[in-house]
Amino acid sequence: MLIKKILLDTYGAKIAPYGFEYQGFQHNRWTFSREIDGQTQRVVIQRDIHGDKSFRLELPRGLVKTYRLMDLEYHSYKDDDELEDILNLLGDHFVRRVIPELSKPEEKRPEYTITRKMYNRLEREKDGLAGQFMDCYGLDWENGTDGVMGKLLLEVENIKGKPFGEVSGKVVELAAVSGEVLIRETGGEWMKEVDGKVVKETVGKKMEDLGFVYMGGKFSRYRLEREREGKRMIIIIERDEAGRRAFSATLYWMEGNRMGRYLYRGFRFYRDAGDMRVQLGCAGAEIREALQHGKPLKDTWKIPSFRYHLTREDKKWLREEREEITEKFRKEYGLKETSAEEEILSCLAKRLDVLKTVDYGECREELLAMAAVLGDLVIREMGGHWHRYEDWRMYQMEFGLVGVPVVGITLPKEICRCSLMIQAGNSRDTFHCGSRIYYSDRCSITWQGLRV
């Protein structure tokens, strides 16, 4: 168990050379502190946070909210040997990661605000702004992007430190140039997200003759309303929370001040700005049809599903047996490590359809194996790696992937939890095999916007 002698011989000995001295024990808390420039920096270890064999590390004030260090906070152990290993490892991490942070001067946050007006100007004038920059320096895209990048970096240095209000126009111009450089060097295109203007011009126009009025929107949600004979109906168009090229559309009654039954709910992907308008128009047509049909949807908001929380044993089993169960699954269903992406995703989707009515206790191992197979595919196609054992023991995070380059950009962050993502029906809600597993009567795997 965690006692003073073990703590001082391990963690305490690691941080002592940096001036942290043991101050005593009170209320299940051991305290270490040091004086730096007249300020006291305290480190506290509190035991039995989540049970008899657990403890919490409290970092010096000012570092508690530092995201990069949050993984050092909670720990658990099975026996005294593992406790000593964790405390020694925690001391190493403290010296390597926390001490340098304590030595850094407080960073001043830049005072600036990127406004909607700036975004709109970039969208409207990006070609002209980029051309203006090129003409100013006598540059030509035909001669490559090296010269462009050189002048771009020079302009960035010129505006550094100046009041943002004075250089906001130049920032928009440089954003236009930077975007063009990225497109020419790495591919891609300028992307217009769903916004109020395009919603009004598509869905709003289709619903105008039925009495719906565009009411505006915020936080990526745009609303149209109609009120007749004291009854209010609402249409919501919402951008995909995961940042993919997609949106959801819903139509529902208001019952007093509460959300009533749904008449329509849809989820659509789009390829580019033109296709976005097409998809919004299609959603508008479907909403009209649903309104004329007039029947509430049958439980499409609350899709019948079974929810199971992964146990520590599940996570431990996946962590320790991942390679073996991955190979077993591939062999059973005719897959190889080098199989095509489409073949792997199709296989996983078919198995989900088979398992949709199977009790979790019976399909638990196969679901976890599928998570492992998809994780390997993500690493192969995009980069990253699985948590190593030391990572897991230190971070106490959901076992999964780390270092995937585009997580949070084209992939929802939840994929890092356990890699298996299941999208139910046409819902915009993505359920993941992380701290829990969801599967329902309709499911498909979604990865990089690809629905299999």
Side-chain angles (χ1 to χ4, degrees), residues 182-350:
L182 285 173
I183 290 171
R184 292 170 185 272
E185 285 296 315
T186 64
E189 60 182 322
W190 286 100
M191 186 61 208
K192 176 178 172 60
E193 293 184 324
V194 173
D195 60 20
K197 182 174 181 291
V198 73
V199 168
K200 186 176 181 180
E201 292 173 353
T202 53
V203 179
K205 188 173 182 180
K206 281 191 176 290
M207 305 303 297
E208 191 174 21
D209 64 315
L210 297 179
F212 281 87
V213 178
Y214 177 70
M215 305 299 291
K218 59 181 180 179
F219 305 123
S220 305
R221 289 169 58 94
Y222 306 96
R223 190 173 82 256
L224 298 92
E225 291 190 14
R226 183 185 82 176
E227 188 166 353
R228 289 182 178 176
E229 300 176 355
K231 293 184 177 180
R232 195 155 57 110
M233 299 193 73
I234 295 179
I235 298 171
I236 296 291
I237 307 295
E238 183 171 6
R239 292 205 300 257
D240 179 45
E241 293 178 354
R244 296 170 294 181
R245 297 180 181 183
F247 65 88
S248 64
T250 54
L251 167 67
Y252 58 88
W253 290 99
M254 289 296 293
E255 297 177 353
N257 293 324
R258 294 186 176 184
M259 185 183 296
R261 296 296 298 274
Y262 280 81
L263 298 179
Y264 174 84
R265 190 167 193 233
F267 184 84
R268 288 178 171 270
F269 290 96
Y270 54 87
R271 295 184 300 275
D272 50 37
D275 189 42
M276 175 180 65
R277 286 181 171 271
V278 171
Q279 296 301 327
L280 282 167
C282 291
E286 290 178 355
I287 291 172
R288 284 185 68 96
E289 183 179 349
L291 185 61
Q292 293 168 358
H293 192 256
K295 291 185 178 180
L297 294 180
K298 186 178 180 181
D299 295 327
T300 52
W301 179 253
K302 296 182 179 179
I303 299 174
S305 62
F306 305 93
R307 185 173 102 172
Y308 299 92
H309 289 270
L310 292 176
T311 64
R312 285 190 176 184
E313 288 71 25
D314 288 337
K315 298 171 187 178
K316 181 176 182 293
W317 184 78
L318 177 61
R319 187 173 65 251
E320 295 177 352
E321 306 294 332
R322 178 180 58 79
E323 294 182 359
E324 182 178 335
I325 62 176
T326 300
E327 185 58 34
K328 180 180 177 182
F329 183 91
R330 288 182 182 136
K331 185 175 181 180
E332 184 172 355
Y333 296 104
L335 296 175
K336 297 180 180 178
E337 189 174 352
T338 56
S339 294
E341 174 184 326
E342 182 179 357
E343 182 182 359
I344 295 173
L345 292 176
S346 296
C347 176
L348 295 176
K350 289 176 182 177

Side-chain angles (χ1 to χ4, degrees), residues 111-208:
E111 296 181 1
Y112 65 85
T113 302
I114 305 297
T115 64
R116 173 52 59 184
K117 184 177 179 180
M118 294 173 68
Y119 280 116
N120 291 340
R121 186 186 176 204
L122 178 62
E123 179 190 338
R124 293 192 312 268
E125 304 177 25
K126 59 182 180 295
D127 293 336
L129 290 170
Q132 172 182 296
F133 181 90
M134 300 292 285
D135 292 342
C136 177
Y137 285 105
L139 298 169
D140 191 328
W141 290 114
E142 297 299 324
N143 296 327
T145 59
D146 289 346
V148 181
M149 278 303 301
K151 297 301 183 183
L152 181 66
L153 294 174
L154 179 63
E155 287 283 6
V156 170
E157 286 297 322
N158 289 339
I159 66 174
K160 189 180 294 184
K162 294 183 179 180
F164 186 70
E166 296 179 9
V167 298
S168 59
K170 177 59 71 173
V171 169
V172 176
E173 178 185 299
L174 298 183
V177 177
S178 176
E180 286 298 325
V181 170
L182 285 173
I183 290 171
R184 292 170 185 272
E185 285 296 315
T186 64
E189 60 182 322
W190 286 100
M191 186 61 208
K192 176 178 172 60
E193 293 184 324
V194 173
D195 60 20
K197 182 174 181 291
V198 73
V199 168
K200 186 176 181 180
E201 292 173 353
T202 53
V203 179
K205 188 173 182 180
K206 281 191 176 290
M207 305 303 297
E208 191 174 21

Side-chain angles (χ1 to χ4, degrees), residues 14-200:
K14 298 276 187 179
I15 67 175
Y18 299 89
F20 283 94
E21 299 179 355
Y22 176 66
Q23 301 298 320
F25 175 79
Q26 190 175 14
H27 305 304
N28 268 356
R29 294 161 63 88
W30 288 275
T31 302
F32 299 82
S33 69
R34 72 176 184 179
E35 294 285 334
I36 296 289
D37 297 331
Q39 294 186 338
T40 302
Q41 296 177 340
R42 291 186 178 84
V43 179
V44 175
I45 288 187
Q46 182 174 353
R47 70 181 180 186
D48 303 338
I49 292 298
H50 295 303
D52 293 337
K53 295 184 177 181
S54 65
F55 65 91
R56 174 188 178 188
L57 170 65
E58 295 181 12
L59 296 172
R61 185 171 299 177
L63 293 180
V64 177
K65 295 183 180 180
T66 301
Y67 181 77
R68 296 187 301 274
L69 303 175
M70 289 176 62
D71 53 273
L72 301 179
E73 192 170 4
Y74 292 100
H75 305 275
S76 59
Y77 55 94
K78 293 180 296 186
D79 51 40
D80 287 350
D81 289 338
E82 186 175 37
L83 172 61
E84 291 189 28
D85 288 343
I86 291 176
L87 287 171
N88 277 313
L89 192 58
L90 186 58
D92 291 337
H93 277 252
F94 188 92
V95 170
R96 189 167 67 245
R97 299 167 58 197
V98 178
I99 295 297
E101 292 290 334
L102 292 174
S103 303
K104 290 181 181 179
E106 186 177 352
E107 295 183 6
K108 292 184 178 180
R109 294 186 178 182
E111 296 181 1
Y112 65 85
T113 302
I114 305 297
T115 64
R116 173 52 59 184
K117 184 177 179 180
M118 294 173 68
Y119 280 116
N120 291 340
R121 186 186 176 204
L122 178 62
E123 179 190 338
R124 293 192 312 268
E125 304 177 25
K126 59 182 180 295
D127 293 336
L129 290 170
Q132 172 182 296
F133 181 90
M134 300 292 285
D135 292 342
C136 177
Y137 285 105
L139 298 169
D140 191 328
W141 290 114
E142 297 299 324
N143 296 327
T145 59
D146 289 346
V148 181
M149 278 303 301
K151 297 301 183 183
L152 181 66
L153 294 174
L154 179 63
E155 287 283 6
V156 170
E157 286 297 322
N158 289 339
I159 66 174
K160 189 180 294 184
K162 294 183 179 180
F164 186 70
E166 296 179 9
V167 298
S168 59
K170 177 59 71 173
V171 169
V172 176
E173 178 185 299
L174 298 183
V177 177
S178 176
E180 286 298 325
V181 170
L182 285 173
I183 290 171
R184 292 170 185 272
E185 285 296 315
T186 64
E189 60 182 322
W190 286 100
M191 186 61 208
K192 176 178 172 60
E193 293 184 324
V194 173
D195 60 20
K197 182 174 181 291
V198 73
V199 168
K200 186 176 181 180

